[in-house]
Amino acid sequence: MRNEHVKDVTIKDIAQHLGISHPTVSRALRDHPSIRAETRLAVKEAARQLGYIANSGARTLSRTRSELIGVIFPDVQNDFYSRTMSTLASMFLERGFKLVLATSEDSAETEFKHIQSLREARVAGVIIAPTANLKNESVELLRSIPTVQLLRSHPLLECSIIKLDERSGIATAMEHLIEKGHSRIGFIGGSGTLSTGVDRAAGYIDALQGHGIPLMRALLRQGPPRPHFGYQAMSDMLSMKAPPSAVVMASSELTLGGIEAIQERKISVPADLALIAYHDPAWFKLWGAGITCLRLPIEQMAAAAAMRLLNQILADAKSPMCAGSETLDADTPFASQLVVRGTT
Amino acid sequence: MRNEHVKDVTIKDIAQHLGISHPTVSRALRDHPSIRAETRLAVKEAARQLGYIANSGARTLSRTRSELIGVIFPDVQNDFYSRTMSTLASMFLERGFKLVLATSEDSAETEFKHIQSLREARVAGVIIAPTANLKNESVELLRSIPTVQLLRSHPLLECSIIKLDERSGIATAMEHLIEKGHSRIGFIGGSGTLSTGVDRAAGYIDALQGHGIPLMRALLRQGPPRPHFGYQAMSDMLSMKAPPSAVVMASSELTLGGIEAIQERKISVPADLALIAYHDPAWFKLWGAGITCLRLPIEQMAAAAAMRLLNQILADAKSPMCAGSETLDADTPFASQLVVRGTT
DNA sequence: CTGTTAGCGCCTTCAA
DNA sequence: TTGAAGGCGCTAACAG
């Protein structure tokens, strides 16, 4: 223990130690071209010996922008977000950025607080999966930070979006079920206030219409994308007089709850009920004969978001006043892939 | 888009706007006691109107310590760490700290890089699950930051540890299996270079000895705590001439791989093979008739780590030179709890 | 209660 | 190639 509370050594200390000026030290440390190789080496050696540790706060102060990237996700327990974090972490680390993780818990208020403190930290950029009812103040703050929306998007946020083609993903799943002869198909998805909730439900409705199957209100359930709601919705559907013969669960968290309800009632899958889930966490292939699902290109999406943000940050640094580089926003949505397994 | 690159409003601007001095503004903003309520309100109002956004870097500069907490975990895909993150996030947010997440990927080198940049950011504290071969430079750097080790610990790190009683946890699991009549019990755990790997294996060995069961080398497998190794080890064991009748899998990631190997060989559980896993991610209760496991008190551990760190930070702020407050390190290990389900 | 003054550590002109 | 001077935004010590 005993933290040695000696004051940190600064570039001035190094300068003094070497009998030169601090600006020279500063330049040497950053490999500034106009510095003699000799002095550069001497400086670096001295820095090492004295145990110099740069002060990123001070650097930020004189530069106006830090090397921090804020990541605002609803939570990290969700497999999608935690895997995304991994990719983002490695991509940004390589480029000298650090990630600050902020979890909104789907509360617009905590989301706002986070955005505020990220703004205070002068983060270089933000990657966000916004909450449904993003506050105006949040929008306002984000206006001054290069931002990229990932997976979810919010209408008020005028920034790049890296998204999935949710509708056609669900459409594919529906095709699959319909081909298998199902027509009483249920859908359990995220709230209609979330962009993903809306889009996935739309895909479901489209598919039904496309095949002339009437939409039954009781078979379309939307709510908070958490296990609890999945359990609830599935239980409800299973207690109907005429329950569905297949169900699409539009999120892995909902699936967790949905399956619990199914097991509780000892319903056999896929004999009595076919199932398609969204996303493909590791355990899906282990459950029974495997859960049929739509696999999302997580790594690619994360990488795309990172690159997009890096570009924006760069463009921003070059021509801070210029508002023209909107060419980046060619929002080509990513496609999910149907993985057929034992539940259908 | 169009980031408005107007220079940020500072306390000086507010001061000028109000015809007072910046220190007064600074104090008012921070609710300093010796400020007239009237001026405080005026300042806050002006700040709001002018769109003032504090600069945390500048604050850190004049205070020497930021409001950032570094969290260094091997990865966040692991359910244990992602759930811990959630708890830490909310605990620290409430107290005005921000979390910087750094994933080491179990590489001592990236771990070092992260520690270095956290040190450069003058983080207020660090919570870490160290890699097996933590570098000396890392130890050196951490010496000057309040640090708490969580779950894993490293001998060179002289700081608080929040840990689990790994040995007795495994012992409980072994008791359970032995009671059920098993004596050929396999163990698949993390590498012997990890503290958790060592302790859990020790628990296994202890239990065997305690019951006069000879230790068979082939039934004790340790390696990287990832699905791939779990798969490998389980496959090996199942191909033995005399395979075990029960296996303890000492991590949820290993379990993922282990179960895959089991399913591939169509071994029936628990008839042909009993199983106990470590940790209790949500899907364990859904697999078959549920996976028997040791549930870890994640939230409590995370909360304890947070409190411990906060105390250290506080103590550190009060008496920076004093080396005496080691009383905090009463390392009472947490206990895991056996959850009996269908695999035993 | 409030203003003055003086840094925190670094970077960036401008000169030399 | 290097040094001198000034400022980034904020807090703190000391006056008043």
Side-chain angles (χ1 to χ4, degrees), chain B residues 10-11 23 26-27 30 52 59 62:
Chain B
T10 74
I11 54 171
S26 170
R27 290 188 273 249
R30 285 175 298 141
Y52 169 73
R59 182 180 307 132
S62 45

Side-chain angles (χ1 to χ4, degrees), chain A residues 62-80:
Chain A
S62 44
R63 296 229 263 224
T64 72
R65 204 96 287 180
S66 77
E67 67 288 330
L68 261 33
I69 299 288
V71 177
I72 308 174
F73 284 164
D75 73 306
V76 266
Q77 300 204 40
N78 184 314
D79 196 70
F80 175 86

Side-chain angles (χ1 to χ4, degrees), chain B residues 63-240:
Chain B
R63 296 230 263 221
T64 72
R65 205 95 289 179
S66 76
E67 67 289 332
L68 262 33
I69 300 288
V71 177
I72 308 175
F73 283 163
D75 71 307
V76 267
Q77 302 205 39
N78 184 314
D79 196 70
F80 176 85
Y81 295 116
S82 63
R83 283 182 52 192
T84 300
M85 270 309 281
S86 298
T87 304
L88 292 179
S90 70
M91 291 207 54
F92 283 110
L93 180 64
E94 281 174 11
R95 292 164 178 80
F97 288 95
K98 282 169 267 305
L99 292 193
V100 178
L101 174 63
T103 52
S104 66
E105 317 273 358
D106 265 322
S107 145
E109 190 52 49
T110 50
E111 177 179 56
F112 170 66
K113 278 191 196 159
H114 282 305
I115 294 177
Q116 193 163 36
S117 78
L118 290 175
R119 182 70 182 71
E120 290 183 358
R122 300 298 186 269
V123 291
V126 163
I127 289 188
I128 184 175
T131 63
N133 40 359
L134 184 69
K135 305 184 70 170
N136 276 312
E137 292 98 309
S138 298
V139 176
E140 207 47 52
L141 283 176
L142 287 178
R143 202 182 282 290
S144 57
I145 312 177
T147 304
V148 171
Q149 291 173 273
L150 183 58
L151 190 65
R152 291 184 183 178
S153 61
H154 189 99
L156 293 177
L157 235 35
E158 318 172 325
C159 63
S160 303
I161 304 178
I162 299 295
K163 64 178 158 192
L164 216 47
D165 188 343
E166 311 277 6
R167 294 172 80 127
S168 74
I170 295 289
T172 308
M174 292 293 288
E175 289 305 331
H176 177 66
L177 291 174
I178 291 169
E179 263 174 30
K180 293 262 176 186
H182 295 281
S183 62
R184 261 191 102 63
I185 304 174
F187 176 91
I188 300 175
S191 323
T193 43
L194 293 170
S195 63
T196 48
V198 173
D199 296 343
R200 291 173 198 172
Y204 167 73
I205 296 171
D206 280 2
L208 290 182
Q209 288 187 334
H211 289 266
I213 303 174
L215 168 64
M216 302 204 33
R217 226 51 204 83
L219 292 182
L220 168 53
R221 305 282 262 99
Q222 290 181 267
R226 300 274 168 259
H228 179 262
F229 177 73
Y231 175 84
Q232 188 62 48
M234 183 62 85
S235 298
D236 289 356
M237 281 192 194
L238 295 179
S239 352
M240 291 170 63

Side-chain angles (χ1 to χ4, degrees), chain A residues 96-123:
Chain A
F97 288 96
K98 282 170 268 304
L99 293 193
V100 179
L101 173 63
T103 51
S104 66
E105 318 272 359
D106 266 321
S107 144
E109 190 50 50
T110 51
E111 176 180 57
F112 170 66
K113 279 191 195 158
H114 282 306
I115 293 176
Q116 192 164 36
S117 78
L118 290 174
R119 183 69 182 73
E120 289 183 358
R122 300 299 186 266
V123 292

